[in-house]
Amino acid sequence: MGKFDKYRIDLKGMQADILTEEYLLDNIFFADIDGPEVQKGKVKVALQVKKTARAFELSFQIDGSVWVPCDRCLDEMELPINTSEKLMVKFGRTYGEEGDIIVVPEEDGDVNVAWFMYEFISLAVPMKHVHAPGKCNKAMTGKLSKHLRTTPDDEKDDDFGDSISVDLEADEETETPIDPRWNDLKKILDNN
């Protein structure tokens, strides 16, 4: 028995028009799937499979939490996940995709939903994930703040607050010579 066999849905053998399944995806699931976005979590998935005249409609209700690294301090942080997704599956000769419809071989008659569930979860994770202000690792934010200072005399708050900004106009007023390549880059910024 393979590690993802319990996520296999037998479409060909469906007796009723509606089938419901529930899955609890934990750290073992995320470790087994070995995806790049999410490697830890505890997510409950309610799946409803509805047989229609020409295809099968799979409706996923996904609720739980995943742990991802903070973009700022790299410590793990918990993110809530709550999403609903649909997937259409129909029978064909070979496995493939036709637009938004997944085609599975009719002779097999089943579909494994493990990777689809992982993709739906990873798509629900926001692109930017950072701790709430003041919750980041203080040692890491202090080092980051030290490297973001434009001059040694800058005194910036190590807490980062809501955002980090660098004043480009202040650099233009300093007396130290500027590498001419930076002037070309500043022209690009000025055009935006």
Side-chain angles (χ1 to χ4, degrees):
M1 183 171 173
K3 55 187 167 184
F4 297 116
D5 283 347
K6 67 180 177 180
Y7 306 109
R8 189 170 299 281
I9 305 295
D10 183 11
L11 300 174
K12 200 173 193 178
M14 273 183 65
Q15 300 297 323
D17 288 343
I18 295 179
L19 170 72
T20 58
E21 295 282 342
E22 286 195 6
Y23 303 105
L24 182 61
L25 311 180
D26 56 7
N27 293 344
I28 295 169
F29 170 83
F30 291 107
D32 286 345
I33 205 129
D34 197 26
E37 298 296 323
V38 180
Q39 282 138 25
K40 287 184 178 180
K42 187 172 184 179
V43 180
K44 181 181 175 186
V45 179
L47 169 62
Q48 181 182 57
V49 182
K50 184 178 178 183
K51 187 191 300 187
T52 64
R54 305 171 92 199
F56 297 88
E57 181 180 292
L58 283 68
S59 300
F60 298 84
Q61 178 59 46
I62 302 170
D63 294 300
S65 299
V66 295
W67 286 266
V68 295
C70 173
D71 290 339
R72 188 177 296 148
C73 71
L74 303 178
D75 280 358
E76 282 190 348
M77 61 178 289
E78 183 178 357
L79 284 176
I81 298 294
N82 184 344
T83 186
S84 296
E85 300 289 340
K86 289 192 184 287
L87 183 67
M88 296 297 290
V89 178
K90 74 175 190 176
F91 291 131
R93 290 187 187 158
T94 60
Y95 186 86
E97 294 182 25
E98 293 179 2
D100 293 340
I101 299 174
I102 304 299
V103 180
V104 296
E106 189 167 1
E107 62 189 38
D108 293 346
D110 59 18
V111 63
N112 194 319
V113 295
W115 183 254
F116 295 114
M117 291 188 296
Y118 175 79
E119 282 187 336
F120 294 147
I121 292 167
S122 63
L123 288 173
V125 173
M127 288 186 70
K128 181 179 178 183
H129 27 86
V130 294
H131 285 106
K135 299 290 183 186
C136 277
N137 180 325
K138 298 290 185 198
M140 182 63 83
T141 55
K143 289 180 182 182
L144 184 58
S145 176
K146 180 180 171 184
H147 289 288
L148 287 175
R149 292 187 180 133
T150 55
T151 65
D153 297 333
D154 280 349
E155 291 192 23
K156 290 192 177 210
D157 186 15
D158 288 346
D159 193 20
F160 282 96
D162 291 329
S163 65
I164 301 169
S165 63
V166 177
D167 189 6
L168 294 176
E169 292 176 12
D171 288 343
E172 292 175 357
E173 297 173 8
T174 60
E175 295 179 19
T176 57
I178 298 175
D179 186 341
R181 293 175 291 184
W182 288 110
N183 290 331
D184 292 336
L185 290 173
K186 286 181 184 179
K187 289 177 190 175
I188 294 171
L189 286 175
D190 292 338
N191 289 336
N192 290 331

